Amino acid sequence: MEYEAANIHDLTRGAQRILEVASKLFYEYGIHAVGVDTIAAESGVTKRTLYNNFGSKDALITRYLKNRHLVWWQNLEERLDIAEPPRALAFFDIYAEDARTITRGCAFHNAAAELPTDHPAYAVIRYHKRAVEERFVELIAEEQPATKDPKRLGRHLFLLLEGAFTHHGIHDRGLLAEAREIARELLI
Amino acid sequence: MEYEAANIHDLTRGAQRILEVASKLFYEYGIHAVGVDTIAAESGVTKRTLYNNFGSKDALITRYLKNRHLVWWQNLEERLDIAEPPRALAFFDIYAEDARTITRGCAFHNAAAELPTDHPAYAVIRYHKRAVEERFVELIAEEQPATKDPKRLGRHLFLLLEGAFTHHGIHDRGLLAEAREIARELLI
DNA sequence: GGATATTTACACAGGTCTGTGAAAGTCAAG
DNA sequence: CTTGACTTTCACAGACCTGTGTAAATATCC
């Protein structure tokens, strides 16, 4: 990893609740819009505890995105393990499933919109997106060996997915389902 | 339009400068990260003038996105007028050109990440994205009448473009150029 | 040049923001 | 029962935030 890994289990119970609450609020309302007082209050701890555990808001933001990546990635691999070929479509299914419970598009893109590019969390964003893209390309290369340019097809599908999921935050016009359908045709 | 149109020429010279400066700063650093004091100071006017002209920060934000849409759309139509078929590729060229001078992806997506969905500016964001998508589909329907499903192809290209441009803010890995290349192949 | 519109200057209100200090309280494990 | 890790309490600092009131100064237009 380009950044220090961060396991939830290193955290005390209170700290875990802080991270949960912060994740929900940061995603729902945006990072700048949510203050540490709010996060502490919603977590049922004092602001002092928040600072004792995370050090600063910026560090909490970074932890939020690291954790989001880890959880999401684990879910991805589990789903891929049980998916039937073409497994690239499982990617679309995961996003579609996410979209049923969360409604503001991609947490990483949203964070990128708010943070300065030299923020510690920005490295996590870059890492995550790159990892997803590469996993996609890898998958295509494995399962569609007959494709003349697996890398291009992988990126092609990746872009479809990114476009559709990002849009989900703005206006759902069935783009995720349509992207999946387009992908399905491309994989035949 | 779903929202009241807003012409720059209604504004005094000072107000135009405010809008210019606000546009630059909102895009570059994010909306919440930029205060009205900063905007006024950079514009060389007093904060009072800003409030006399725009009423509130929220109204200024809304005006920023309305104006961004109008300017961008005008540029789009001008470019389409002189473009050679397939003109859908001109879309990619416009985004690629934008990407040379601005480096934080799509202003509308970024704003959407920060604003509550009931913010007046959010309607502008929805309108803009929908308009772009529809213009794309329209263009395909005109120029690729042989396509069996012009709407799907239009959305397909739209998603490629959105995915690539959004990514440009995070990490430029030549995705815009690759998206154009993929689009070119799809249009043959 | 005189009426009208606009901008300045500047103080101020009332919040909210991140972050800290220091002492007292709580709880679990040895 | 004691040690040590964690959390609470609560006051406070200092900065930044949006937005306003008012009177004087300056443009702009007929």
Side-chain angles (χ1 to χ4, degrees):
Chain A
M1 285 217 187
E2 294 167 17
Y3 58 85
E4 210 182 333
N7 198 307
I8 276 199
H9 308 296
D10 300 344
L11 300 177
T12 64
R13 230 170 309 200
Q16 286 181 28
R17 218 159 48 235
I18 291 169
L19 189 55
E20 269 172 41
V21 169
S23 300
K24 181 172 154 267
L25 297 180
F26 283 158
Y27 177 73
E28 191 69 26
Y29 301 104
I31 290 170
H32 284 326
V34 176
V36 286
D37 287 278
T38 306
I39 295 169
E42 297 264 311
S43 311
V45 300
T46 59
K47 189 167 49 163
R48 205 72 190 78
T49 300
L50 188 155
Y51 275 93
N52 284 345
N53 279 280
F54 296 96
S56 69
K57 186 183 179 181
D58 282 328
L60 179 57
I61 294 167
T62 308
R63 191 74 185 246
Y64 151 57
L65 291 174
K66 281 185 183 179
N67 186 244
R68 192 113 180 170
H69 170 72
L70 284 175
V71 171
W72 188 88
W73 194 265
Q74 194 171 338
N75 178 245
L76 169 72
E77 293 297 349
E78 281 170 11
R79 294 284 298 259
L80 287 181
D81 279 346
I82 60 170
E84 294 182 16
R87 292 189 296 163
L89 287 183
F91 259 87
F92 288 85
D93 295 331
I94 291 169
Y95 277 97
E97 189 161 319
D98 284 349
R100 284 216 307 274
T101 53
I102 62 178
T103 60
R104 304 224 44 170
C106 174
F108 297 90
H109 279 303
N110 292 353
E114 290 201 73
L115 300 176
T117 52
D118 59 354
H119 191 286
Y122 217 96
V124 182
I125 298 171
R126 289 199 193 92
Y127 175 85
H128 170 78
K129 285 300 175 192
R130 184 178 206 116
V132 173
E133 183 198 319
E134 282 174 3
R135 189 74 184 85
F136 221 129
V137 171
E138 203 177 288
L139 211 61
I140 298 292
E142 278 176 31
E143 294 199 338
Q144 314 277 323
T147 310
K148 70 169 191 261
D149 192 344
K151 189 168 181 183
R152 168 161 295 178
L153 181 57
R155 285 187 158 183
H156 186 159
L157 297 182
F158 172 69
L159 289 177
L160 280 173
L161 196 52
E162 287 282 295
F165 192 53
T166 301
H167 247 278
H168 171 255
I170 291 180
H171 204 141
D172 189 8
R173 296 195 287 279
L175 287 174
L176 265 168
E178 187 145 18
R180 188 192 195 278
E181 199 51 28
I182 293 168
R184 207 180 52 79
E185 285 176 15
L186 288 171
L187 286 168
I188 288 170
Chain B
M1 287 217 187
E2 292 166 17
Y3 58 85
E4 206 182 336
N7 198 307
I8 276 200
H9 308 296
D10 300 345
L11 301 176
T12 63
R13 231 171 307 201
Q16 286 181 29
R17 219 160 45 235
I18 291 169
L19 190 55
E20 268 172 42
V21 168
S23 300
K24 180 172 155 268
L25 297 180
F26 282 159
Y27 176 73
E28 191 69 24
Y29 300 103
I31 289 169
H32 284 326
V34 176
V36 287
D37 287 279
T38 307
I39 296 169
E42 296 264 312
S43 312
V45 301
T46 60
K47 189 166 50 164
R48 204 75 191 76
T49 300
L50 189 155
Y51 275 93
N52 284 345
N53 278 279
F54 296 96
S56 70
K57 187 184 179 181
D58 282 329
L60 178 58
I61 295 166
T62 308
R63 190 74 185 246
Y64 151 57
L65 290 174
K66 282 185 182 180
N67 185 243
R68 192 112 178 169
H69 170 72
L70 284 176
V71 169
W72 188 89
W73 195 266
Q74 194 171 338
N75 177 245
L76 169 72
E77 292 298 349
E78 282 169 11
R79 294 284 296 259
L80 287 181
D81 279 346
I82 59 171
E84 294 182 16
R87 291 190 296 163
L89 286 183
F91 260 87
F92 288 84
D93 294 331
I94 291 169
Y95 277 97
E97 189 161 319
D98 284 348
R100 284 216 306 274
T101 54
I102 61 178
T103 60
R104 305 226 43 173
C106 174
F108 296 91
H109 279 302
N110 292 354
E114 289 201 73
L115 300 176
T117 53
D118 59 354
H119 191 288
Y122 217 96
V124 182
I125 298 170
R126 289 199 193 93
Y127 175 86
H128 169 78
K129 285 299 175 192
R130 184 178 207 118
V132 173
E133 183 197 319
E134 282 175 3
R135 189 73 184 85
F136 222 129
V137 171
E138 203 177 287
L139 209 62
I140 299 291
E142 279 176 30
E143 295 198 338
Q144 314 277 323
T147 310
K148 70 169 191 252
D149 193 344
K151 190 169 180 181
R152 167 161 295 181
L153 180 57
R155 285 187 159 184
H156 187 158
L157 298 182
F158 172 70
L159 289 177
L160 280 173
L161 197 52
E162 287 282 294
F165 192 53
T166 300
H167 248 278
H168 170 257
I170 291 180
H171 205 142
D172 189 9
R173 296 195 287 280
L175 287 174
L176 265 168
E178 188 145 17
R180 188 191 195 278
E181 199 50 29
I182 293 168
R184 206 179 53 79
E185 285 175 15
L186 287 170
L187 287 168
I188 288 171

